[in-house]
């Protein structure tokens, strides 16, 4: 992940805050369109409900269809209380929604996310169905771990429909691992690695590692400089300790993949959720939960609701079809085509594994030039991508390279890759590549 994708995502982020309108209720209050309960009685009952929850800590693998349908109806009936209002869309790049059961208590949540049109700072709200099942409450957020790295403290779930998670069996709590990119302005930006758990109406975000980059510019030499600061909850750490944390966290637990059925709305003049037919919104939210519960492929959900041009083959997730070993066959730069064999200079191989990790190897004169292993991510078009950002491995003034898998042929034996490289002043160039499967 090595100082990952800062020039593409982080450089355009401004550290401004974004808040929602139309939410209507405080975090402690159940939210319904018609709410006549006395506040004191309600809070007393909530306290009793919390006590009951402590006594019966039940783990629900997935919500049954009838219960889910009833809960979705509550959200749809009161959609104006959780949706981003269309008056806000001019300020947004995206509004997005997904349905989950983060704590597996049998009561689903709807997560509402936004990205600012001007800074790409993200925000997130969580609304959970109450124990009675006829209303919902907004969750509180609690931030622990590394503090005061950035004021943009909300993790960027809106960017990551696929996450890693782990289950603490002793405490019966699921943890979801995600990132929070930030830009503090004045050339200072970075990335935080977060562990999100949700229980009893509280979303706890534990920041377990961060990297902060300070960019400077010398007008006399016209050169940029970069200073890196690494942190853990115990304070400043060195680079090796930082990579050890992010590569091995969490120790003692097995990480598994989980998908969030994120539905994107709210582009500028888009009518948003309020303009949708209730029957359609019911289908969206129901299928969104099915993605989370592992009963529907995210690729199929994405094709149905977010991308009318997506591939029709949904028997595999988009990433799984690329798992395996691939060798560089051909590259094209501005019409000039170069063919490769394993003995060619700058020949490369790419190996994707089932744990969303990739190893890229480059060869010169038949010998290994360098090997790079890192995580693979999915972009908004469901295209796997990864980056090399260790400038000591890269030629000339290149600061980092990005590889984006743009497709695969019908036989599944040729992979198409967009290759782009960047320097201190931004984009320098790129090419389109073809890789053959099992080409040694």
């Amino acid at each position: 992940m090595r100082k990952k994708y800062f020039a593409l995502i982080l450089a355009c982020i401004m550290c401004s805050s974004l808040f929602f309108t139309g939410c209507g209720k405080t975090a402690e209050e159940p939210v319904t369109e018609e709410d006549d309960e006395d506040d004191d009685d309600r809070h007393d009952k909530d306290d009793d409900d919390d006590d009951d929850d402590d006594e019966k800590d039940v783990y629900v693998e997935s919500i049954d269809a009838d219960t889910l349908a009833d809960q979705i109806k509550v959200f749809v009936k009161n959609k104006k209380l959780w949706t981003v209002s269309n008056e806000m869309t001019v300020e947004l790049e995206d509004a997005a929604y997904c349905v989950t059961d983060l704590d597996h208590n049998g009561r689903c949540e709807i997560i509402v996310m936004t990205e600012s049109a001007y800074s790409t700072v993200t925000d997130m709200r969580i609304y959970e169905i109450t124990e009675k099942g006829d209303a919902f409450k907004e969750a509180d957020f609690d931030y622990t771990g590394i503090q005061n790295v950035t004021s943009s403290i909300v993790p960027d779930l809106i960017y990551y429909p696929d996450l890693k998670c782990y289950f603490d069996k002793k405490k019966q709590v699921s943890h979801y691992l995600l990132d929070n990119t930030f830009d503090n302005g004045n050339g200072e930006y970075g990335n935080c690695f977060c562990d999100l758990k949700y229980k009893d109406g509280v979303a706890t975000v534990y920041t377990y590692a961060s990297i902060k980059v300070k960019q400077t510019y010398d007008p006399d030499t016209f050169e940029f400089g970069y200073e890196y600061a690494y942190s853990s909850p115990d304070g400043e750490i060195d680079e090796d300790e930082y990579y050890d944390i992010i590569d091995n966290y969490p120790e003692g637990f097995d990480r598994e993949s989980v998908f969030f059925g994120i539905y994107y709305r709210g582009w500028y003049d888009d009518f948003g959720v309020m303009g949708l037919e209730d029957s359609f919104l019911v289908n969206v939210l129901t299928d969104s939960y099915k993605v989370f519960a592992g009963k529907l492929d995210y690729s199929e959900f994405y094709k149905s609701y977010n991308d009318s041009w997506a591939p029709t083959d949904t028997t595999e997730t988009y990433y799984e079809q690329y798992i395996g070993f691939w060798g560089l066959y051909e590259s094209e730069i501005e019409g000039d085509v170069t063919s490769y064999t394993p003995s060619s200079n700058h020949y490369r191989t790419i190996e994707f594994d089932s744990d969303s990790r990739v190893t890229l190897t480059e060869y010169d004169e038949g010998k290994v030039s360098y090997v790079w292993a890192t995580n693979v991510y999915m972009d908004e078009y469901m295209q796997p991508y990864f980056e090399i950002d260790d400038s000591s491995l890269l030629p000339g003034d290149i600061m980092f390279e990005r590889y984006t898998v743009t497709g695969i042929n019908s036989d599944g034996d040729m992979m198409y890759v967009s290759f782009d490289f960047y320097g201190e002043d931004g984009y320098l160039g790129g090419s389109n590549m073809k890789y053959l499967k099992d080409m040694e």
Side-chain angles (χ1 to χ4, degrees), residues 66-79 82 108 129 133-134 136 278 282 285-286:
D66 291 340
T67 301
L68 178 64
D70 290 341
Q71 295 181 6
I72 295 298
K73 287 178 182 178
V74 175
F75 282 129
V76 173
K77 179 181 178 181
N78 302 285
K79 60 185 179 182
W82 53 263
C108 65
I129 294 290
D134 59 353
F136 50 86
D278 284 356
V282 166
L285 300 184
T286 301

Side-chain angles (χ1 to χ4, degrees), residues 328-338 340 404 406 415-421 427 429-435:
L328 180 60
Y329 169 71
E330 187 178 272
S331 67
E332 181 270 327
I333 302 176
E334 298 181 350
D336 294 330
V337 177
T338 302
Y340 293 85
T404 303
T406 57
M415 179 174 68
Y416 307 102
V417 176
S418 174
F419 168 63
D420 301 287
F421 47 93
Y427 181 72
S431 66
N432 293 314
M433 296 178 166
K434 295 178 181 178
Y435 283 78

Side-chain angles (χ1 to χ4, degrees), residues 223-235:
E223 293 182 351
F224 288 93
Y226 299 89
E227 297 178 1
Y228 299 93
Y230 307 94
S231 300
S232 77
D234 296 327

